[in-house]
Amino acid sequence: DGGITQSPKYLFRKEGQNVTLSCEQNLNHDAMYWYRQDPGQGLRLIYYSQIVNDFQKGDIAEGYSVSREKKESFPLTVTSAQKNPTAFYLCSSTKAGTSGGTYNEQFFGPGTRLTVL
Amino acid sequence: AQSVSQHNHHVILSEAASLELGCNYSYGGTVNLFWYVQYPGQHLQLLLKYFSGDPLVKGIKGFEAEFIKSKFSFNLRKPSVQWSDTAEYFCAVNRAGSSYKLIFGSGTRLLVRP
């Protein structure tokens, strides 16, 4: 059963701690994305990666870091530098690996809700 | 900067009422347009998409949307809503030929009363 998994579903963090959110896909997709969802603000792009070992900052990358060592995995680290980390984090992937051509649908994972205590 | 505006933040309808959710974007070039839906407790999923061709596109569950280029709009419609349509709806835009990044609107929460 192909799809995107995110873990954990709920995550609690103390101030000053770094935490890593997992995102795994078995869809053989090239590109992967991390979004942050806040009430009334829609989804905002944090980081994205079009190929292994390469990634780019999105609109709100400050306080976050990522890695893309494997095609199927794109973990997101929320660092202590992120001033307001409490949010719902969504990971997505898409088949397209290069710009141009027909756009392919982005598939989303179930999300991780991070709460800073 | 490119932006997407959804004018209605909360919409409440009775079953069988007609639905229209507004979406406007600011980018003047060629765009790909999407509507996503997030049902309570479920994944974000694609309702419909527009790349080119017929500006009236049909999606799942009886939804449709019309792309009006002159108005930079991509409004979502459904002739008769059901209680099961209660969800949050997001309009999203991608610049054609870019890196497939999506820019989302702020979302519209739809509540359908039985």
Side-chain angles (χ1 to χ4, degrees):
Chain A
D1 200 3
I4 302 176
T5 56
Q6 291 185 243
S7 60
K9 188 174 182 179
Y10 298 97
L11 186 58
F12 297 90
R13 185 193 97 174
K14 292 181 180 179
E15 282 193 28
Q17 287 181 335
N18 292 355
V19 288
T20 297
L21 282 59
S22 168
C23 178
E24 304 276 335
Q25 54 96 1
N26 60 4
L27 301 167
N28 198 33
H29 285 173
D30 300 293
M32 297 185 73
Y33 307 80
W34 274 105
Y35 294 89
R36 169 181 171 142
Q37 184 178 7
D38 296 283
Q41 295 193 53
L43 281 71
R44 293 178 290 167
L45 183 65
I46 304 173
Y47 266 98
Y48 64 102
S49 168
Q50 293 181 273
I51 56 173
V52 174
N53 292 323
D54 188 46
F55 48 83
Q56 287 79 40
K57 292 181 179 180
D59 300 317
I60 55 165
E62 186 175 350
Y64 299 98
S65 65
V66 293
S67 62
R68 187 84 186 279
E69 297 177 2
K70 299 185 293 183
K71 187 176 183 178
E72 60 271 21
S73 178
F74 190 42
L76 173 75
T77 297
V78 184
T79 75
S80 57
Q82 170 49 235
K83 299 303 179 189
N84 186 23
T86 294
F88 189 54
Y89 291 87
L90 285 166
C91 177
S92 70
S93 69
T94 189
K95 189 176 179 182
T98 57
S99 61
T102 302
Y103 182 97
N104 290 298
E105 174 186 348
Q106 281 194 24
F107 290 84
F108 285 82
T112 292
R113 188 166 296 281
L114 172 64
T115 302
V116 174
L117 303 173
Chain B
Q2 188 176 0
S3 67
V4 179
S5 299
Q6 291 183 242
H7 315 295
N8 314 101
H9 298 294
H10 293 90
V11 173
I12 302 174
L13 295 173
S14 297
E15 277 196 316
S18 64
L19 170 72
E20 180 160 3
L21 301 182
C23 174
N24 287 90
Y25 61 94
S26 62
Y27 182 66
T30 302
V31 294
N32 301 312
L33 300 157
F34 307 82
W35 275 98
Y36 281 84
V37 61
Q38 191 172 35
Y39 297 103
Q42 294 189 27
H43 298 200
L44 200 66
Q45 58 184 284
L46 185 68
L47 262 184
L48 46 78
K49 59 189 176 186
Y50 172 81
F51 296 155
S52 63
D54 189 344
L56 184 63
V57 292
K58 296 190 183 298
I60 61 172
K61 305 188 181 185
F63 285 91
E64 64 179 32
E66 184 176 13
F67 171 51
I68 303 179
K69 189 174 182 180
S70 61
K71 295 184 178 180
F72 299 90
S73 70
F74 190 56
N75 293 353
L76 180 71
R77 299 195 293 247
K78 186 171 183 179
S80 175
V81 295
Q82 301 172 310
W83 175 78
S84 58
D85 293 323
T86 294
E88 189 160 17
Y89 294 81
F90 295 94
C91 181
V93 174
N94 163 260
R95 275 173 46 189
S98 71
S99 55
Y100 303 98
K101 292 184 292 181
L102 286 174
I103 297 176
F104 283 84
S106 57
T108 298
R109 285 189 181 271
L110 172 65
L111 172 64
V112 180
R113 291 178 171 156

